[in-house]
Amino acid sequence: MEKDQFKILIDKYLQNLAGEDEVSLVDKYYDKLSGDITNEVSANDTVTEQALLSKINQKIDAIEGRGVTTQKRTIKLFPNWLKIASVLAVIASAYYFFQQKNLPGKQDSIDYASKILPGGNKAILRLGNGKYIDLAAAKTGKLTAFGSSSANKIQVDEVSFADGIAEASGNQPLNVIEVPVGGFFKVVLSDGTRVWLNSSSSLTFPSDFTGAQRNVKLTGEGYFEVAHQAQKPFIVETNKQSVEVLGTHFNINAYSDENQIKTTLLEGSVKVLTADQKRSATLKPGEAAVLSDKNLSVQLADVSQSIDWINGRFNFSHTDVKLVLRKIARWYDIEVAYEGDLSGVEFGGKISKKKNLKEILNMLNRTGDVKFKVTGRRVVVMP
């Protein structure tokens, strides 16, 4: 396509006279530019309207041989204007687009990454009485009743057992809430304890806590706000350790594909005990217990980094690229492979978990340390 022809196309687009195929072509040119624009995004994922407009003005001035203006202008960029302004920037600064004979073929290629959407509120509840409930599909309200307890879906991302009244004796059936890859869910236990479960995690718990202790089992990652009961400690078991509390707020990261288990304390006090009961540590708020192989250590913790996942953010600080991609893979349900030497590559910053995969990878790619190739749901990471 010649440059003059493209200008005619933009005129038709601006006047709402473009046909369906022409609108699609404009959209594709916009997508082609979006990588350039995205690479200018600041580390905190914020782009001001003024900064974007200034960038476009500079591109146009440079092509037309005029000096770059320093005059400040404030224009409200609504979505349609944002797209139009970006396309005009293409005309001014990307003339080589019009010279590529094979451009149409490139534009027709599938943009896999933009089609991979973030995870959401989904989980499966397997009740001790054998009942199976898809919590994402279930309507809010009472889900089931059994014994002295009932399960209720409070809102789209939460199920509650807190209305039950514990029986005096007898074994309680164990329930399991399973959060798949790309999922997130909350559960309120019968004692009022609240648990947030991250992707690829599960919690096993009774309908009522009837014994001398309140025992649950965790796989993956969970954030706990434990209801205080002075005479009945709350114990979280994982495959390599247990955590004992009375009433407190803490996070446990115990994924089987990680080389350590990390317990971070926000409030109160917790005791971490290894499965062989040979090592233990008592934490104070702001500390983390790290269990690696058979070594248990206590260190100062970045609390916000440990729990930002419950607030819908990835939070990285000098985080190894492979750990970053494991977290991303669990949320976007993707397969990750590596080519070349990526040793020493780390990332830092916060990224919203509401973005599609393309936006996430663009932000990581902006560092210049890594490149990505996406085919289907497989992402190859290269230096």
Side-chain angles (χ1 to χ4, degrees):
M1 180 184 293
E2 298 297 330
K3 188 172 181 179
D4 289 342
Q5 292 176 306
F6 196 79
K7 285 183 177 179
I8 293 172
L9 173 60
I10 294 302
D11 287 338
K12 294 176 68 175
Y13 183 91
L14 293 172
Q15 298 175 47
N16 294 321
L17 298 176
E20 183 177 339
D21 292 340
E22 293 171 320
V23 170
S24 177
L25 183 57
V26 171
D27 288 340
K28 289 177 181 178
Y29 273 105
Y30 168 72
D31 290 338
K32 186 73 174 178
L33 175 69
S34 65
D36 254 6
I37 298 292
T38 321
N39 285 342
E40 302 297 327
V41 178
S42 61
N44 63 0
D45 191 23
T46 300
V47 177
T48 66
E49 298 166 352
Q50 182 66 44
L52 179 57
L53 185 58
S54 175
K55 177 179 176 65
I56 293 171
N57 287 335
Q58 290 175 19
K59 286 177 176 287
I60 294 173
D61 290 340
I63 292 298
E64 294 181 354
R66 294 185 274 111
V68 177
T69 178
T70 58
Q71 182 181 1
K72 294 183 179 180
R73 293 186 292 166
T74 302
I75 296 178
K76 186 66 176 177
L77 295 180
F78 292 99
N80 285 342
W81 166 242
L82 178 60
K83 179 177 289 188
I84 293 167
S86 300
V87 173
L88 292 176
V90 172
I91 297 174
S93 65
Y95 179 74
Y96 72 92
F97 284 166
F98 312 115
Q99 307 302 323
Q100 297 185 48
K101 294 181 180 180
N102 60 346
L103 181 59
K106 289 184 177 180
Q107 289 185 340
D108 289 339
S109 64
I110 298 176
D111 187 353
Y112 293 105
S114 65
K115 299 180 184 298
I116 298 178
L117 302 180
N121 300 316
K122 49 188 174 182
I124 299 298
L125 177 60
R126 302 181 187 277
L127 296 167
N129 62 359
K131 192 174 180 64
Y132 169 104
I133 301 173
D134 181 348
L135 293 175
K139 296 180 180 179
T140 57
K142 193 169 186 177
L143 301 176
T144 187
F146 48 96
S148 62
S149 294
S150 63
N152 303 278
K153 186 174 181 182
I154 305 301
Q155 50 194 23
V156 294
D157 64 344
E158 181 178 315
V159 63
S160 174
F161 286 76
D163 292 336
I165 301 174
E167 296 175 355
S169 61
N171 294 327
Q172 293 294 311
L174 294 178
N175 312 300
V176 182
I177 181 168
E178 300 173 348
V179 179
V181 173
F184 172 89
F185 223 80
K186 293 182 287 187
V187 57
V188 182
L189 304 179
S190 61
D191 65 339
T193 293
R194 298 170 62 84
V195 186
W196 286 253
L197 293 171
N198 207 348
S199 301
S200 192
S201 302
S202 70
L203 185 73
T204 302
F205 59 97
S207 302
D208 293 315
F209 295 107
T210 58
Q213 298 178 338
R214 296 171 287 169
N215 291 77
V216 301
K217 293 182 179 179
L218 172 73
T219 66
E221 184 167 24
Y223 171 68
F224 294 77
E225 292 186 352
V226 177
H228 183 77
Q229 290 187 15
Q231 305 304 317
K232 185 179 287 191
F234 190 97
I235 298 176
V236 183
E237 298 177 14
T238 68
N239 61 332
K240 294 182 180 180
Q241 70 172 36
S242 63
V243 177
E244 180 178 334
V245 302
L246 294 176
T248 186
H249 298 181
F250 60 97
N251 190 83
I252 301 177
N253 185 313
Y255 285 109
S256 60
D257 59 349
E258 302 292 353
N259 59 12
Q260 62 183 25
I261 297 176
K262 189 172 184 179
T263 305
T264 305
L265 180 63
L266 282 76
E267 293 183 13
S269 177
V270 302
K271 180 180 180 181
V272 179
L273 181 67
T274 58
D276 60 10
Q277 299 186 347
K278 292 182 179 180
R279 286 162 300 282
S280 65
T282 300
L283 300 182
K284 296 181 293 185
E287 292 182 336
V290 179
L291 178 61
S292 180
D293 294 327
K294 294 184 179 180
N295 298 315
L296 180 65
S297 62
V298 176
Q299 56 188 231
L300 291 177
D302 184 337
V303 172
S304 64
Q305 183 181 356
S306 297
I307 66 167
D308 250 7
W309 63 271
I310 71 173
N311 298 315
R313 290 187 295 267
F314 295 110
N315 188 336
F316 306 122
S317 177
H318 300 291
T319 307
D320 177 76
V321 60
K322 292 187 177 181
L323 175 55
V324 169
L325 267 297
R326 284 197 294 272
K327 291 178 180 290
I328 291 172
R330 294 185 195 115
W331 186 238
Y332 290 91
D333 191 11
I334 58 173
E335 174 192 353
V336 179
Y338 299 90
E339 293 182 0
D341 184 10
L342 291 164
S343 57
V345 177
E346 297 179 339
F347 293 104
K350 298 181 180 182
I351 308 176
S352 170
K353 296 175 71 175
K354 295 180 180 180
K355 297 180 177 298
N356 65 41
L357 181 63
K358 179 180 179 180
E359 294 173 293
I360 297 291
L361 298 184
N362 276 342
M363 296 187 71
L364 298 180
N365 184 59
R366 194 180 314 125
T367 65
D369 294 324
V370 292
K371 297 188 292 290
F372 301 96
K373 179 181 178 181
V374 183
T375 305
R377 304 192 77 88
R378 187 172 190 267
V379 176
V380 178
V381 188
M382 302 163 286

